[in-house]
Amino acid sequence: PQVLFKRNKMVVLKNIPRILSPELLSVLARMGHGDEIVLADANFPSASISRSGPELIRADGHGIPALLKAVVKLMPLDTYIPKPVALMDLVPDDKARGLKAPIWDEYKKIINAEEGKQIGVELVERFAFYERAKKCFAVVATGEGALYGNIILQKGVLPPEDEK
């Protein structure tokens, strides 16, 4: 019998960012074209959202920028839609008082650098974001402390080997 990995054990592989747990690598591998994954900040209701279907992956203690960089290095974003990235929009009261979400610029910089072009990003109202998250393949609960740090990524496709 072949054992690929044991739960909660680190696996070291060449060219695989060590921040990605075996559970998260498995999720990324099993996701198909059009499936979505949430990288959730520390305030996101990850456990309750995951009761609706998405797998819950724990990445406690990790910030989203480091995880995002590792995920987009391995997972292609969907090129068949104009905005394969979604961010939770500020609630009206936070907009009215001028609250900013500087982490969004960091996310865009990471994604655009990895993709080699500007990627479309949509802002999704808070409760619509929660509903969309319930339909995602997985929710990754992180230790990210930035407000409005939640991000959804939609998986794309890889071209055949001879077209690369």
Side-chain angles (χ1 to χ4, degrees):
Q2 182 181 9
V3 176
L4 297 177
F5 61 84
K6 292 184 179 180
R7 187 159 177 79
N8 298 322
K9 299 289 182 184
M10 187 169 122
V11 175
V12 181
L13 299 170
K14 289 182 178 180
N15 302 316
I16 301 294
R18 290 184 182 195
I19 195 170
L20 299 177
S21 67
E23 293 83 6
L24 183 49
L25 285 170
S26 174
V27 161
L28 295 174
R30 289 181 289 121
M31 288 174 65
H33 181 210
D35 282 338
E36 294 184 319
I37 187 168
V38 180
L39 302 183
D41 67 28
N43 293 303
F44 191 80
S46 299
S48 60
I49 291 291
S50 294
R51 277 191 240 131
S52 297
E55 289 184 43
L56 177 60
I57 303 295
R58 303 300 311 191
D60 302 290
H62 294 296
I64 291 177
L67 277 167
L68 179 62
K69 188 173 184 178
V71 167
V72 296
K73 186 175 288 301
L74 299 180
M75 187 185 90
L77 293 178
D78 201 336
T79 57
Y80 292 101
I81 61 171
K83 297 178 179 179
V85 176
L87 301 169
M88 181 187 287
D89 199 4
L90 280 69
V91 298
D93 285 351
D94 286 342
K95 286 180 185 178
R97 64 185 180 103
L99 184 72
K100 302 291 182 206
I103 198 153
W104 294 352
D105 290 332
E106 191 173 351
Y107 292 170
K108 291 173 188 176
K109 182 179 174 186
I110 291 166
I111 292 166
N112 293 341
E114 185 58 41
E115 294 295 312
K117 62 183 179 181
Q118 190 167 351
I119 298 300
V121 176
E122 70 175 305
L123 295 177
V124 179
E125 184 274 333
R126 177 182 169 208
F127 291 105
F129 192 98
Y130 290 152
E131 289 305 310
R132 184 166 168 181
K134 290 176 182 177
K135 298 173 187 161
C136 287
F137 192 94
V139 173
V140 182
T142 75
E144 181 56 59
L147 295 177
Y148 295 98
N150 306 300
I151 183 170
I152 295 175
L153 305 171
Q154 185 167 328
K155 188 172 184 180
V157 299
L158 293 174
E161 287 292 322
D162 57 351
E163 291 182 25
K164 285 186 178 178

mmCIF file of all heavy atoms in Angstrom, residues 75-94:
data_model
loop_
_atom_site.group_PDB
_atom_site.id
_atom_site.type_symbol
_atom_site.label_atom_id
_atom_site.label_comp_id
_atom_site.label_asym_id
_atom_site.label_seq_id
_atom_site.Cartn_x
_atom_site.Cartn_y
_atom_site.Cartn_z
ATOM 1 N N MET A 75 -1.766 27.129 -8.672
ATOM 2 C CA MET A 75 -3.126 27.033 -9.200
ATOM 3 C C MET A 75 -3.375 28.084 -10.281
ATOM 4 O O MET A 75 -3.269 29.276 -10.006
ATOM 5 C CB MET A 75 -4.141 27.209 -8.071
ATOM 6 C CG MET A 75 -5.577 26.955 -8.499
ATOM 7 S SD MET A 75 -6.785 27.315 -7.206
ATOM 8 C CE MET A 75 -7.119 29.041 -7.540
ATOM 9 N N PRO A 76 -3.745 27.650 -11.483
ATOM 10 C CA PRO A 76 -4.072 28.634 -12.522
ATOM 11 C C PRO A 76 -5.396 29.320 -12.204
ATOM 12 O O PRO A 76 -6.327 28.687 -11.699
ATOM 13 C CB PRO A 76 -4.197 27.778 -13.782
ATOM 14 C CG PRO A 76 -4.634 26.436 -13.278
ATOM 15 C CD PRO A 76 -3.945 26.275 -11.939
ATOM 16 N N LEU A 77 -5.462 30.616 -12.485
ATOM 17 C CA LEU A 77 -6.725 31.333 -12.333
ATOM 18 C C LEU A 77 -7.521 31.219 -13.621
ATOM 19 O O LEU A 77 -6.951 31.053 -14.708
ATOM 20 C CB LEU A 77 -6.461 32.800 -11.987
ATOM 21 C CG LEU A 77 -5.825 33.034 -10.619
ATOM 22 C CD1 LEU A 77 -5.555 34.522 -10.403
ATOM 23 C CD2 LEU A 77 -6.686 32.485 -9.494
ATOM 24 N N ASP A 78 -8.828 31.300 -13.499
ATOM 25 C CA ASP A 78 -9.717 31.122 -14.648
ATOM 26 C C ASP A 78 -9.566 32.280 -15.638
ATOM 27 O O ASP A 78 -9.756 33.440 -15.283
ATOM 28 C CB ASP A 78 -11.166 31.023 -14.173
ATOM 29 C CG ASP A 78 -12.066 30.350 -15.175
ATOM 30 O OD1 ASP A 78 -11.738 30.363 -16.384
ATOM 31 O OD2 ASP A 78 -13.102 29.807 -14.766
ATOM 32 N N THR A 79 -9.218 31.953 -16.867
ATOM 33 C CA THR A 79 -9.061 32.972 -17.911
ATOM 34 C C THR A 79 -10.317 33.103 -18.767
ATOM 35 O O THR A 79 -10.374 33.945 -19.663
ATOM 36 C CB THR A 79 -7.869 32.635 -18.831
ATOM 37 O OG1 THR A 79 -8.076 31.337 -19.403
ATOM 38 C CG2 THR A 79 -6.561 32.670 -18.065
ATOM 39 N N TYR A 80 -11.330 32.278 -18.496
ATOM 40 C CA TYR A 80 -12.558 32.309 -19.279
ATOM 41 C C TYR A 80 -13.593 33.267 -18.713
ATOM 42 O O TYR A 80 -14.679 33.404 -19.276
ATOM 43 C CB TYR A 80 -13.154 30.900 -19.398
ATOM 44 C CG TYR A 80 -12.294 29.991 -20.232
ATOM 45 C CD1 TYR A 80 -11.446 29.060 -19.638
ATOM 46 C CD2 TYR A 80 -12.319 30.067 -21.618
ATOM 47 C CE1 TYR A 80 -10.645 28.231 -20.409
ATOM 48 C CE2 TYR A 80 -11.514 29.230 -22.395
ATOM 49 C CZ TYR A 80 -10.687 28.328 -21.783
ATOM 50 O OH TYR A 80 -9.891 27.513 -22.545
ATOM 51 N N ILE A 81 -13.269 33.896 -17.593
ATOM 52 C CA ILE A 81 -14.151 34.898 -17.012
ATOM 53 C C ILE A 81 -13.333 36.171 -16.780
ATOM 54 O O ILE A 81 -12.114 36.098 -16.607
ATOM 55 C CB ILE A 81 -14.802 34.419 -15.690
ATOM 56 C CG1 ILE A 81 -13.748 34.117 -14.629
ATOM 57 C CG2 ILE A 81 -15.699 33.213 -15.935
ATOM 58 C CD1 ILE A 81 -14.324 33.857 -13.251
ATOM 59 N N PRO A 82 -13.976 37.334 -16.785
ATOM 60 C CA PRO A 82 -13.213 38.579 -16.653
ATOM 61 C C PRO A 82 -12.644 38.836 -15.251
ATOM 62 O O PRO A 82 -11.653 39.543 -15.117
ATOM 63 C CB PRO A 82 -14.217 39.673 -17.038
ATOM 64 C CG PRO A 82 -15.555 39.046 -16.905
ATOM 65 C CD PRO A 82 -15.384 37.569 -17.094
ATOM 66 N N LYS A 83 -13.251 38.252 -14.222
ATOM 67 C CA LYS A 83 -12.810 38.525 -12.850
ATOM 68 C C LYS A 83 -12.758 37.232 -12.029
ATOM 69 O O LYS A 83 -13.710 36.895 -11.321
ATOM 70 C CB LYS A 83 -13.740 39.540 -12.186
ATOM 71 C CG LYS A 83 -13.724 40.895 -12.889
ATOM 72 C CD LYS A 83 -14.677 41.882 -12.255
ATOM 73 C CE LYS A 83 -14.600 43.209 -12.994
ATOM 74 N NZ LYS A 83 -15.527 44.186 -12.443
ATOM 75 N N PRO A 84 -11.633 36.502 -12.097
ATOM 76 C CA PRO A 84 -11.516 35.245 -11.357
ATOM 77 C C PRO A 84 -11.160 35.427 -9.879
ATOM 78 O O PRO A 84 -10.965 34.455 -9.163
ATOM 79 C CB PRO A 84 -10.392 34.520 -12.096
ATOM 80 C CG PRO A 84 -9.528 35.626 -12.607
ATOM 81 C CD PRO A 84 -10.476 36.747 -12.953
ATOM 82 N N VAL A 85 -11.082 36.679 -9.438
ATOM 83 C CA VAL A 85 -10.748 36.990 -8.051
ATOM 84 C C VAL A 85 -11.861 37.846 -7.469
ATOM 85 O O VAL A 85 -12.322 38.801 -8.110
ATOM 86 C CB VAL A 85 -9.403 37.747 -7.964
ATOM 87 C CG1 VAL A 85 -9.091 38.155 -6.534
ATOM 88 C CG2 VAL A 85 -8.274 36.893 -8.540
ATOM 89 N N ALA A 86 -12.287 37.505 -6.249
ATOM 90 C CA ALA A 86 -13.328 38.280 -5.573
ATOM 91 C C ALA A 86 -12.848 38.669 -4.174
ATOM 92 O O ALA A 86 -12.238 37.855 -3.476
ATOM 93 C CB ALA A 86 -14.617 37.467 -5.471
ATOM 94 N N LEU A 87 -13.137 39.900 -3.809
ATOM 95 C CA LEU A 87 -12.813 40.418 -2.479
ATOM 96 C C LEU A 87 -14.107 40.823 -1.782
ATOM 97 O O LEU A 87 -15.054 41.260 -2.445
ATOM 98 C CB LEU A 87 -11.909 41.649 -2.591
ATOM 99 C CG LEU A 87 -10.572 41.441 -3.299
ATOM 100 C CD1 LEU A 87 -9.905 42.779 -3.569
ATOM 101 C CD2 LEU A 87 -9.670 40.551 -2.454
ATOM 102 N N MET A 88 -14.132 40.679 -0.455
ATOM 103 C CA MET A 88 -15.297 41.124 0.300
ATOM 104 C C MET A 88 -15.271 42.645 0.372
ATOM 105 O O MET A 88 -14.321 43.235 0.882
ATOM 106 C CB MET A 88 -15.316 40.544 1.714
ATOM 107 C CG MET A 88 -16.543 40.977 2.506
ATOM 108 S SD MET A 88 -16.508 40.474 4.224
ATOM 109 C CE MET A 88 -16.813 38.726 4.067
ATOM 110 N N ASP A 89 -16.312 43.273 -0.147
ATOM 111 C CA ASP A 89 -16.397 44.734 -0.158
ATOM 112 C C ASP A 89 -16.655 45.278 1.252
ATOM 113 O O ASP A 89 -17.192 44.566 2.117
ATOM 114 C CB ASP A 89 -17.525 45.177 -1.091
ATOM 115 C CG ASP A 89 -17.412 46.629 -1.520
ATOM 116 O OD1 ASP A 89 -16.420 47.293 -1.167
ATOM 117 O OD2 ASP A 89 -18.330 47.099 -2.230
ATOM 118 N N LEU A 90 -16.270 46.511 1.458
ATOM 119 C CA LEU A 90 -16.525 47.177 2.734
ATOM 120 C C LEU A 90 -18.030 47.375 2.914
ATOM 121 O O LEU A 90 -18.746 47.631 1.925
ATOM 122 C CB LEU A 90 -15.843 48.549 2.774
ATOM 123 C CG LEU A 90 -14.357 48.583 3.096
ATOM 124 C CD1 LEU A 90 -13.518 48.004 1.985
ATOM 125 C CD2 LEU A 90 -13.923 49.996 3.395
ATOM 126 N N VAL A 91 -18.491 47.273 4.142
ATOM 127 C CA VAL A 91 -19.894 47.559 4.433
ATOM 128 C C VAL A 91 -20.098 49.069 4.321
ATOM 129 O O VAL A 91 -19.137 49.844 4.462
ATOM 130 C CB VAL A 91 -20.328 47.022 5.815
ATOM 131 C CG1 VAL A 91 -20.205 45.509 5.873
ATOM 132 C CG2 VAL A 91 -19.557 47.680 6.935
ATOM 133 N N PRO A 92 -21.335 49.525 4.060
ATOM 134 C CA PRO A 92 -21.583 50.957 3.858
ATOM 135 C C PRO A 92 -21.054 51.864 4.975
ATOM 136 O O PRO A 92 -20.505 52.927 4.686
ATOM 137 C CB PRO A 92 -23.111 51.034 3.745
ATOM 138 C CG PRO A 92 -23.496 49.694 3.174
ATOM 139 C CD PRO A 92 -22.540 48.721 3.811
ATOM 140 N N ASP A 93 -21.203 51.458 6.231
ATOM 141 C CA ASP A 93 -20.709 52.296 7.329
ATOM 142 C C ASP A 93 -19.197 52.482 7.270
ATOM 143 O O ASP A 93 -18.686 53.567 7.544
ATOM 144 C CB ASP A 93 -21.091 51.702 8.690
ATOM 145 C CG ASP A 93 -22.555 51.905 9.036
ATOM 146 O OD1 ASP A 93 -23.249 52.655 8.307
ATOM 147 O OD2 ASP A 93 -23.014 51.319 10.032
ATOM 148 N N ASP A 94 -18.471 51.430 6.922
ATOM 149 C CA ASP A 94 -17.012 51.531 6.809
ATOM 150 C C ASP A 94 -16.608 52.404 5.625
ATOM 151 O O ASP A 94 -15.637 53.161 5.697
ATOM 152 C CB ASP A 94 -16.367 50.147 6.714
ATOM 153 C CG ASP A 94 -16.374 49.414 8.045
ATOM 154 O OD1 ASP A 94 -16.549 50.072 9.089
ATOM 155 O OD2 ASP A 94 -16.197 48.183 8.038
#
